[in-house]
């Protein structure tokens, strides 16, 4: 009897819940947000797929198929930007993952002035990138900059950080790490402090060393935070524009150009089609490198 | 021996992080108060004479008080976009968390796309020209709202998931309509996450350089970051003024940080991890 009524009542109840959901959480509440996002972000993203196939200048646009993309792989300076973007993303995210973890371990151990140090490491995240770029351009001046003058005092002949073709990209990458490692550190710290203290206590009773504790407790349990840091800094590295632009403008020559700076340069010179193609290449790069990375790392978290 | 090793190591680590992270800021302050000759040497030295007021006045007066205009513009843009972001993303987060239907995965996909994908610049500019909002302050406000929506929605949705549904049920039984349910029951409970969103987005939009560069070119509407960028080429020989400018633009985020340190760190890490 009870089972039968429950079954009979269940079906209409379910649809009533749905109706009530629809009436209490109506879709029209989403419309303003969806309009702004759809018109100003999604729509241009979709039309960019068409514009990237055109020769498009101030005055007219003409359909030219895949010529813009072919140009990206044939012109050495465009191709180099593509390679530079990938190198930059790998170098900066790699350094942020490692240094961020080191700093987080340091800043979660009992220290004097620990909170102050945490703030100090995090503060560059909040500072104007343009300001950081200008400051480090001057600190990295090849002959009179503070960095090279300090190196000279201990007898090292400092390199031409931003004027050396082979080094400029890596110098900017170092500054990007300086600016962004604080965010990686706080994400790691949030992960580390959520590890139960019992684990460390139990392992200490069993005679584990600090290194063993790090290797077998901290490292495995901080993995979700580490994945977040990898994804965030990798995508940030692929998209970076402001720091490159204020420090080197892609120079010397085209040696530190990345996709985002190429997009801006082509836009400035009026090659709108080529600029948009650059944008599409950047989408594809992120889709090809970052999305699978995201899925792979998330799956690992779930199965564990 | 092990005592020396243990404390020596952490002392060294602390010293290195202090040097690496603090020296550049002290450098900015020193440069900003030096006179022109001393700042031209670009070295890390104690200022021989202090010119705080003088440099400050000169930077403010440069190019017809451009920095003042820029400060006003940046403030208007930041305040308006953050206000819009908070209301709109809280609504989206609310409906998305409470109501799961067939289109939920699609919305999730678009949120993720907004978080990861770079915007297509030139088509956006063309579109804004057609709508008549290119090179306007309100145009940039809408852009900032569109580009920062995903992050805010994720923060709000995660927080709303911790508010029990029974609360909604009770309000509904008491006769609440959708808008009064949201504004009178849900929104007041969102205070912690709202503070986080406000602080994080304020800093991000105030510091934004790329979007004003593309969508708000021209002098009359310059933002603080654009002004600083333009001063870089104008003050090539007057580093003291350039650094005074950097200092003035760094102070607002510093103030925000001093007051909301906890919320910023919590918000950035929570949004990142759960997102």
């Amino acid at each position: 009897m009870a089972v039968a009524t429950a079954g009979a009542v269940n079906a209409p109840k379910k649809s009533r819940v749905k109706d009530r959901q629809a009436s209490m959480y109506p879709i029209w509440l989403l419309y303003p947000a969806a309009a702004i996002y759809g018109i100003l972000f999604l729509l241009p993203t979709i039309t960019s797929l068409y514009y990237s196939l055109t020769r498009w200048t101030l005055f007219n646009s003409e359909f030219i198929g895949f010529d813009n993309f072919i140009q990206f792989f044939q012109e050495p300076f465009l191709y180099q930007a593509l390679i530079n973007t990938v190198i930059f993303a790998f170098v900066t995210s790699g350094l942020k993952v490692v240094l961020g973890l080191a700093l987080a371990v340091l800043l979660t151990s009992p220290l004097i002035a620990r909170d102050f140090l945490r703030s100090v490491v995090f503060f560059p995240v909040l500072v104007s990138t343009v300001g950081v770029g200008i400051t480090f351009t001057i600190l990295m001046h090849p002959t009179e900059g503070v960095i090279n003058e300090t190196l000279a005092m201990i007898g090292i002949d400092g390199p031409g950080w931003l004027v050396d073709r082979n080094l400029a990209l890596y110098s900017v990458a170092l500054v990007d790490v300086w600016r962004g490692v604080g965010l990686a550190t706080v994400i790691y710290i949030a992960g580390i402090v959520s590890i139960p203290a019992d684990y460390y206590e139990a392992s200490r009773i069993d005679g584990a060393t600090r290194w063993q504790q790090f290797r077998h407790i901290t490292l495995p349990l901080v993995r979700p935070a580490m994945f977040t840091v990898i994804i965030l800094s990798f995508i940030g590295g692929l998209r970076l524009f402001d720091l490159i632009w204020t420090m080197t403008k892609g120079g010397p020559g085209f040696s530190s150009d990345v996709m985002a700076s190429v997009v801006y340069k082509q836009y400035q010179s009026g090659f709108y089609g080529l600029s948009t193609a650059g944008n599409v290449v950047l989408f594809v790069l992120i889709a090809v490198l970052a999305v699978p990375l995201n899925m792979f790392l998330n799956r690992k978290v779930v199965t564990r | 021996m092990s005592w020396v090793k243990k404390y020596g190591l952490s002392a060294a680590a602390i010293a290195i992080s202090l040097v690496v992270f603090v020296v550049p800021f002290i450098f900015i302050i020193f440069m900003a108060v030096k006179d022109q000759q001393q700042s031209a040497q670009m070295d890390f030295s104690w200022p021989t004479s202090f010119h705080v007021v003088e440099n400050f006045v000169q930077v403010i007066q440069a190019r017809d008080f451009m920095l003042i205009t820029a400060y006003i513009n940046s403030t208007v843009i930041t305040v308006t976009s953050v206000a819009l972001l908070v209301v709109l993303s809280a609504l989206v987060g609310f409906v998305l968390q409470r109501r799961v239907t067939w289109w939920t995965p699609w919305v999730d996909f678009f949120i993720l796309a907004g978080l990861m994908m770079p915007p297509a610049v030139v088509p956006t500019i063309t579109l804004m020209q057609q709508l008549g909002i290119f090179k306007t302050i309100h145009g940039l406000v809408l852009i900032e709202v569109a580009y920062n929506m995903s992050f805010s929605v994720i923060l709000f949705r995660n927080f709303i998931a911790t508010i029990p549904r029974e609360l909604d049920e009770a309000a509904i039984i008491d006769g609440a309509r959708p808008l009064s349910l949201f504004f009178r029951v849900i929104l007041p409970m969102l205070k912690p996450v709202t503070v986080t969103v406000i602080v994080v987005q304020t800093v991000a939009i105030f510091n934004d350089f790329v979007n004003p560069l593309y969508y708000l070119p021209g002098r009359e509407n310059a933002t603080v970051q654009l002004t600083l960028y333009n001063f870089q080429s104008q003050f090539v020989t007057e580093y003291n003024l350039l650094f005074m400018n950097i200092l003035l633009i760094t102070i607002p985020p510093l103030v925000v940080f001093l007051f909301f340190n906890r919320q910023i760190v919590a918000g950035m890490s929570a949004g990142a991890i759960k997102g």
Side-chain angles (χ1 to χ4, degrees):
Chain A
M1 172 66 190
V3 175
T5 41
V9 169
N10 239 349
K13 194 182 172 190
K14 207 175 177 185
S15 77
R16 209 162 58 222
V17 166
K18 273 216 157 159
D19 285 350
R20 196 162 67 197
Q21 268 206 352
S23 68
M24 284 320 287
Y25 312 111
I27 303 185
W28 57 262
L29 292 178
L30 304 180
Y31 288 166
I36 295 176
Y37 181 79
I39 293 173
L40 288 175
F41 182 79
L42 285 184
L43 189 62
T45 304
I46 294 162
T47 52
S48 73
L49 297 178
Y50 167 74
Y51 284 129
S52 66
L53 303 175
T54 61
R55 181 179 292 119
W56 180 25
T57 60
L58 274 175
F59 309 105
N60 53 6
S61 71
E62 175 199 349
F63 189 82
I64 53 165
F66 286 95
D67 283 10
N68 284 327
F69 294 100
I70 294 170
Q71 207 177 342
F72 254 98
F73 288 92
Q74 280 178 345
E75 292 271 5
F77 71 95
L78 294 178
Y79 185 65
Q80 190 178 5
L82 197 63
I83 303 295
N84 281 349
T85 308
V86 178
I87 294 177
F88 190 89
F90 271 105
V91 170
T92 53
S93 55
L95 283 175
K96 283 177 195 172
V97 167
V98 175
L99 293 176
L101 182 58
L103 278 170
V105 169
L106 179 72
L107 295 178
T108 45
S109 55
L111 285 178
I112 318 153
R114 191 174 69 179
D115 289 347
F116 172 72
L117 276 173
R118 282 187 190 180
S119 307
V120 160
V121 171
F122 185 69
F123 188 56
V125 175
L126 302 177
V127 175
S128 148
T129 314
V130 185
V132 169
I134 295 174
T135 308
F136 273 91
T137 313
I138 287 174
L139 289 173
M140 286 178 163
H141 190 282
T143 50
E144 293 167 66
V146 171
I147 296 179
N148 277 2
E149 281 189 342
T150 313
L151 289 176
M153 277 197 303
I154 52 171
I156 299 173
D157 199 10
W161 298 99
L162 297 169
V163 293
D164 186 333
R165 279 174 167 280
N166 299 319
L167 204 63
L169 185 71
Y170 297 97
S171 305
V172 180
L174 280 184
V175 178
D176 186 56
V177 172
W178 179 85
R179 183 189 59 152
V181 77
L183 184 57
T185 308
V186 301
I187 294 172
Y188 275 126
I189 289 178
I192 291 176
V193 296
S194 69
I195 301 173
D198 311 6
Y199 295 176
Y200 292 101
E201 218 164 289
S203 68
R204 201 171 50 241
I205 291 167
D206 290 345
T209 61
R210 284 287 295 265
W211 168 252
Q212 282 171 329
Q213 285 183 335
F214 171 76
R215 173 70 190 79
H216 297 287
I217 300 174
T218 311
L219 203 55
L221 290 177
V222 85
R223 240 152 110 196
M226 181 181 277
F227 295 161
T228 309
V229 172
I230 295 176
I231 298 279
L232 274 187
S233 47
F234 191 71
I235 294 175
L238 289 175
R239 289 177 58 169
L240 185 100
F241 170 76
D242 37 15
L243 203 58
I244 290 269
W245 196 246
T246 45
M247 291 188 75
T248 66
K249 292 202 166 56
F254 301 103
S255 58
S256 64
D257 251 330
V258 291
M259 289 310 297
S261 67
V262 165
V263 168
Y264 185 66
K265 280 181 178 174
Q266 299 303 331
Y267 161 68
Q268 265 190 322
S269 359
F271 298 117
Y272 296 162
L274 196 59
S275 168
T276 309
N279 246 319
V280 173
V281 172
L282 194 53
F283 296 151
V284 174
L285 210 59
I286 290 180
V288 166
L289 293 174
V291 173
L293 185 69
N294 195 5
M295 284 160 71
F296 172 73
L297 296 181
N298 279 336
R299 193 195 54 191
K300 270 195 138 174
V301 176
V302 173
T303 49
R304 203 164 45 80
Chain B
M1 177 58 206
S2 83
W3 189 86
V4 172
K5 204 170 145 192
K6 199 171 154 193
Y7 289 92
L9 202 70
S10 60
I14 294 167
I16 290 171
S17 21
L18 272 180
V19 169
V20 169
F21 289 100
V22 175
V23 164
F25 287 108
I26 299 177
F27 181 73
I28 294 176
I29 296 171
F30 280 180
M31 287 292 269
V33 301
K34 285 174 180 176
D35 60 18
Q36 197 193 327
Q37 271 124 19
Q38 207 198 348
S39 72
Q41 293 168 0
M42 302 194 286
D43 55 355
F44 188 77
S45 58
W46 188 257
T48 48
S49 53
F50 288 85
H51 300 265
V52 185
V53 179
E54 199 184 315
N55 291 349
F56 177 78
V57 171
Q58 278 201 47
V59 168
I60 296 283
Q61 285 177 341
R63 290 197 183 179
D64 280 343
F65 297 93
M66 196 166 163
L67 193 61
I68 303 278
T69 321
Y71 250 104
I72 296 172
N73 287 339
S74 281
T75 312
V76 170
I77 292 168
T78 310
V79 170
T80 327
S81 357
V82 171
L84 275 173
L85 266 174
V86 166
V87 176
L88 296 183
S89 342
L91 272 173
V92 175
F94 170 61
V95 176
L96 285 185
Q97 204 282 320
R98 289 301 197 237
R99 189 175 170 189
V100 179
T101 60
W102 59 270
W103 42 259
T104 308
W106 286 97
V107 178
D108 287 345
F109 171 78
F110 287 131
I111 290 174
L112 200 63
L115 214 53
M116 293 169 89
M117 289 300 169
V121 181
V122 190
T124 311
I125 291 176
T126 323
L127 186 76
M128 290 174 79
Q129 279 170 338
Q130 284 162 357
L131 296 173
I133 54 171
F134 183 56
K135 286 195 191 182
T136 62
I137 300 242
H138 51 276
L140 186 64
V141 166
L142 292 177
I143 286 284
E144 297 286 6
V145 172
Y147 291 179
N148 292 303
M149 181 91 73
S150 292
F151 182 73
S152 315
V153 167
I154 289 175
L155 282 184
F156 274 115
R157 187 164 68 173
N158 289 339
F159 191 86
I160 290 170
T162 66
I163 299 178
R165 260 166 195 278
E166 283 73 20
L167 214 68
D168 298 24
E169 303 287 334
I172 294 168
I173 289 167
D174 288 347
R177 302 298 307 146
L179 277 182
S180 59
L181 168 64
F182 176 74
F183 281 103
R184 299 178 62 179
V185 180
I186 301 295
L187 198 58
M189 304 198 66
L190 299 181
K191 203 175 156 201
V193 72
T194 306
V195 173
T196 306
V197 170
I198 290 176
V199 171
V200 172
Q201 300 291 22
T202 300
V203 172
I205 295 173
F206 185 83
N207 280 338
D208 188 13
F209 168 64
V210 185
N211 295 321
L213 184 71
Y214 276 122
Y215 307 120
L216 200 60
R219 275 199 196 166
E220 64 275 22
N221 283 332
T223 65
V224 281
Q225 307 302 328
L226 282 184
T227 319
L228 178 55
Y229 175 71
N230 292 331
F231 280 4
Q232 188 186 11
S233 44
Q234 192 196 355
F235 292 150
V236 258
T237 53
E238 294 162 301
Y239 285 132
N240 51 342
L241 301 187
L242 184 61
F243 277 87
M244 179 54 91
N245 199 336
I246 296 178
L247 191 63
L248 289 179
I249 287 173
T250 313
I251 286 173
L254 177 65
V255 173
V256 171
F257 180 60
L258 289 179
F259 281 102
F260 297 103
N261 180 353
R262 212 167 285 268
Q263 282 90 343
I264 295 183
V265 171
M268 283 191 163
S269 43
I273 285 178
K274 290 173 192 157

